[in-house]
Amino acid sequence: MNTSSRSSSPVLSSLLSVERLHILTDNNNKMLHALLTMTLQSNITDLQQAKSLFEQQAWDELAKTIHRLSGAAQITGAQRTEIACRNLEKACLVTSPEISHLTTLWSEAKLAIDELNAAINGFLQPQ
């Protein structure tokens, strides 16, 4: 499996900083694969939990879960995902948040996370 040729995938590189990942992993493809695998697994788990918390309108807990997702996005340089998550996190922490606003922000964050997860998965899966 040649991960270095896929590291320039337009989809992945348009959503996160491949250069940052190479620096974090000291250009070690096995470590890069492990980091992305762990990020994908965590994102999936956190997104499932966030969905449940959103449905329960548990805003404080949702903010904590979204904070983890924004942290993962920040580490990987996924700016769109990080911004969408941070916007949702801030809105969840407002006293008596507006449901329609949270719904919009949730949709934006979920879409960004889903796109990032799909790109990571496409990078990890052999063609």
Side-chain angles (χ1 to χ4, degrees):
M1 170 166 69
N2 184 359
T3 42
S4 60
S5 67
R6 284 182 286 152
S7 67
S8 60
S9 164
V11 174
L12 186 67
S13 64
S14 69
L15 296 176
L16 54 75
S17 173
V18 175
E19 180 181 338
R20 176 180 281 177
L21 293 176
H22 282 294
I23 291 168
L24 282 172
T25 60
D26 198 27
N27 290 312
N28 180 316
N29 285 334
K30 285 184 181 183
M31 191 179 293
L32 175 63
H33 190 274
L35 174 66
L36 289 173
T37 298
M38 186 172 58
T39 299
L40 180 61
Q41 290 170 347
S42 295
N43 284 358
I44 290 168
T45 300
D46 287 342
L47 189 59
Q48 289 170 344
Q49 182 178 11
K51 181 180 184 289
S52 176
L53 293 167
F54 181 81
E55 290 168 354
Q56 296 168 35
Q57 298 184 5
W59 307 131
D60 288 341
E61 291 302 312
L62 176 60
K64 292 175 188 174
T65 301
I66 292 297
H67 183 80
R68 285 194 303 271
L69 286 159
S70 68
Q74 181 181 27
I75 289 168
T76 61
Q79 292 181 341
R80 178 173 173 256
T81 302
E82 179 186 359
I83 291 167
C85 288
R86 292 218 187 273
N87 289 340
L88 177 57
E89 179 185 355
K90 286 180 199 172
C92 286
L93 297 174
V94 171
T95 304
S96 302
E98 185 181 318
I99 303 296
S100 63
H101 183 61
L102 287 176
T103 300
T104 299
L105 293 174
W106 164 249
S107 295
E108 291 170 2
K110 185 177 180 315
L111 177 63
I113 296 162
D114 284 340
E115 287 176 349
L116 178 60
N117 286 349
I120 292 171
N121 193 51
F123 179 86
L124 294 172
Q125 299 301 314
Q127 297 295 322

